[in-house]
Amino acid sequence: MFLARLFTSRRARLTALAAVPLVAVTALTAVAEQPASAAPGCSVTYATPSQWDGGFTANVAVTNLGDAVDGWTLTWSFGAGQQVRQAWNAQVSQSGAQVTARNVSYNSAIPTGGKVEFGFNGASSGSNPSPTAFTLNGTLCTGDVGPTTTTTTTTTTTTTTGNPPVGNLPSSFRWSSSGQLISPKPDSTHANVAVKDPSVVYYNGKYHVFASTYTDGYNLMYTSFSDWSQASAAPHYYLDRSGIGSGYRAAPQVFYFAPQRLWYLVYQTGSNASYSTTTDIATPSSWSAPKNFYANGMPQIIRDNIGNGYWVDFWTVCDTAKCYLFSSDDNGHLYRSETTVAQFPNGFTNTVIAMQDSDRYRLFEASNIYKIAGKNQWLMVHEAIGTDGRRYFRSWTAPAITGPWTALADTESNPFARANNVTFPGGQWTRDISHGEMVRTNVDQTMEISPCKLSYLYQGMDPDAGGDYNRLPWRLGLLTQTNSTC
């Protein structure tokens, strides 16, 4: 039976292997008043390290030149209609031109001579002049550092727009699929037969794609291109040539952790969730050596419930206070661990079962959790194996990362993405819609997407292929939503 082949081959694979943006804060969010402390002297440095058509990133550094502060509020006005869209290391609200930034729990204290930093992504139209005056806890900052701007302008066609998207996720989905966009590119040391488990971000005018490959073991690859029409011809860089090194590395997830100004690549290393970092996503050789998220390995609650499944497919996502690490076990359980934004990537604990299903195949692996732009709503998609043995995705929504999760399109007859709600204008090259990732509207750890015109990069394969799961001919294709409500 195809179902049994897929599951047992997955087991064989794992058995063999064993022997840019901090937390998005919506502008206009109501924030409780913080206690004001004296601040008779302060200075502010305001910089816009990058700008693009319709938007920019700003970094703000506040130096306390007066008495120690315990709880701070910084205010300023924009002079050209700019709007704050997402912020990190501060809670930010905006009313007209007036912007108010308040401390979060972990950076409320600024000692005399101390400094606090935060940043945000903003929308602009035309010019983007820097603010000319800042006030800290009611005191005008007149220190000699002063506002400064150092700007790198980039040309991009990012999907982030100046206004929040208007529209909602539908209760059922329809998609059109491309043909095979990314296939293996074997070389003298990488005789790859599959490309799978993709992660993708659009940054500085290019799509950056990371994926698993398989030769006689699993490895990671990177490719980039400015348009999907270029994907098949774009060269592949194998990440065992970077600090990530050789050995079992699979199922990557890439994002920019704005508080640290670092790119993170999260992936499996066989017995743990691991990560590498870089300051330059476009230079694949720059990734650091692997480090583990869990100091003591698999949490006990997973050991108690995994049965004959496998610990796979790690997914990181953050809100304004915490970062969460999800994982699956091929046994009907989705797990969630947490740490604070300030501690990330350390301190993951409090591992719980976030969702479970008595039918292991209905909640198998490969979860994604996304923030819906402009709404207090999160979307979860999770891979299942259908009664026909084919892979597909179910979906749920929730008001928070921690739930509660409400079914959206979660059945074989009304799936998030399955062969029965996907058309193939160029011919149906796959009947599996498997492990993938949404093309996001930003690149940071909030995993934000627009509810409009979704795109999903996924793995599929020749419907007639069979044999060892490791050597199944997975290829990457792109789903484009055809029934968007906006």
Side-chain angles (χ1 to χ4, degrees), residues 178-182 185 202 205-207 209 223-235 457 476-478 480:
S178 71
Q180 299 178 21
L181 294 179
I182 300 177
K185 290 185 181 297
Y202 185 78
K206 286 190 174 183
Y207 294 98
V209 176
T223 187
S224 67
F225 41 86
S226 58
D227 187 86
W228 289 106
S229 63
Q230 303 168 351
S232 62
L457 185 64
L476 304 186
L478 184 71
T480 301

Side-chain angles (χ1 to χ4, degrees), residues 313-330:
D313 297 341
F314 300 97
W315 182 267
T316 308
V317 60
C318 307
D319 59 22
T320 57
K322 292 182 178 181
C323 291
Y324 301 87
L325 186 58
F326 288 81
S327 58
S328 300
D329 68 359
D330 289 353

Side-chain angles (χ1 to χ4, degrees), residues 194-423:
V195 178
K196 54 183 298 187
D197 312 326
S199 183
V200 57
V201 292
Y202 185 78
Y203 177 72
N204 273 358
K206 286 190 174 183
Y207 294 98
H208 300 265
V209 176
F210 296 79
S212 306
T213 64
Y214 185 81
T215 304
D216 291 320
Y218 280 85
N219 185 18
L220 301 176
M221 59 78 72
Y222 163 81
T223 187
S224 67
F225 41 86
S226 58
D227 187 86
W228 289 106
S229 63
Q230 303 168 351
S232 62
H236 293 185
Y237 181 96
Y238 297 104
L239 293 177
D240 57 3
R241 296 169 176 165
S242 72
I244 290 174
S246 59
Y248 173 38
R249 282 90 169 101
Q253 180 206 10
V254 67
F255 61 92
Y256 182 73
F257 191 64
Q260 299 171 2
R261 302 180 189 176
L262 284 176
W263 291 94
Y264 273 75
L265 192 66
V266 177
Y267 48 92
Q268 298 169 200
T269 48
S271 60
N272 212 314
S274 299
Y275 66 90
S276 294
T277 62
T278 182
T279 58
D280 183 5
I281 191 174
T283 304
S285 61
S286 64
W287 288 101
S288 66
K291 293 184 178 179
N292 291 334
F293 281 110
Y294 295 96
N296 298 316
M298 182 185 293
Q300 188 60 46
I301 191 172
I302 302 178
R303 295 181 186 276
D304 293 342
N305 289 278
I306 196 170
N308 62 350
Y310 298 92
W311 193 27
V312 295
D313 297 341
F314 300 97
W315 182 267
T316 308
V317 60
C318 307
D319 59 22
T320 57
K322 292 182 178 181
C323 291
Y324 301 87
L325 186 58
F326 288 81
S327 58
S328 300
D329 68 359
D330 289 353
N331 194 36
H333 302 97
L334 177 67
Y335 302 97
R336 186 188 71 237
S337 303
E338 66 182 52
T339 189
T340 64
V341 168
Q343 287 181 296
F344 182 85
N346 303 309
F348 275 103
T349 186
N350 191 30
T351 304
V352 298
I353 297 175
M355 185 178 289
Q356 60 185 326
D357 197 302
S358 58
D359 182 345
R360 67 193 305 171
Y361 301 115
R362 281 174 46 83
L363 199 72
F364 201 62
E365 58 192 18
S367 67
N368 302 162
I369 296 90
Y370 300 103
K371 172 70 170 62
I372 303 301
K375 301 178 184 298
N376 293 319
Q377 184 182 47
W378 300 79
L379 170 70
M380 177 194 294
V381 299
H382 200 294
E383 186 172 340
I385 301 178
T387 53
D388 59 357
R390 301 293 179 177
R391 303 293 183 113
Y392 75 101
F393 281 100
R394 304 169 67 200
S395 62
W396 300 260
T397 58
I401 297 174
T402 54
W405 295 100
T406 301
L408 179 61
D410 76 325
T411 64
E412 290 191 56
S413 60
N414 182 32
F416 178 74
R418 188 171 179 257
N420 61 347
N421 69 343
V422 177
T423 61

Side-chain angles (χ1 to χ4, degrees), residues 41-57:
C42 51
S43 64
V44 174
T45 299
Y46 179 97
T48 52
S50 63
Q51 296 193 67
W52 56 92
D53 184 18
F56 63 98
T57 295

Side-chain angles (χ1 to χ4, degrees), residues 20-21 48-58 83 85-86 88 120-128 151-162 202-205 256 441-444:
V20 215
T48 52
S50 63
Q51 296 193 67
W52 56 92
D53 184 18
F56 63 98
T57 295
Q83 294 287 320
R85 291 299 181 223
Q86 299 158 315
W88 47 93
F120 60 89
N121 289 331
S124 60
S125 178
S127 63
N128 181 30
T151 301
T152 300
T153 301
T154 58
T155 300
T156 177
T157 55
T158 178
T159 55
T160 302
T161 61
Y202 185 78
Y203 177 72
N204 273 358
Y256 182 73
T441 53
N442 69 5
V443 300
D444 73 16

Side-chain angles (χ1 to χ4, degrees), residues 102-144:
R102 295 182 173 90
N103 65 273
V104 288
S105 61
Y106 54 82
N107 65 2
S108 62
I110 317 177
T112 300
K115 182 168 67 174
V116 66
E117 297 180 80
F118 65 93
F120 60 89
N121 289 331
S124 60
S125 178
S127 63
N128 181 30
S130 298
T132 58
F134 295 84
T135 299
L136 179 66
N137 288 355
T139 296
L140 183 65
C141 293
T142 59
D144 58 6

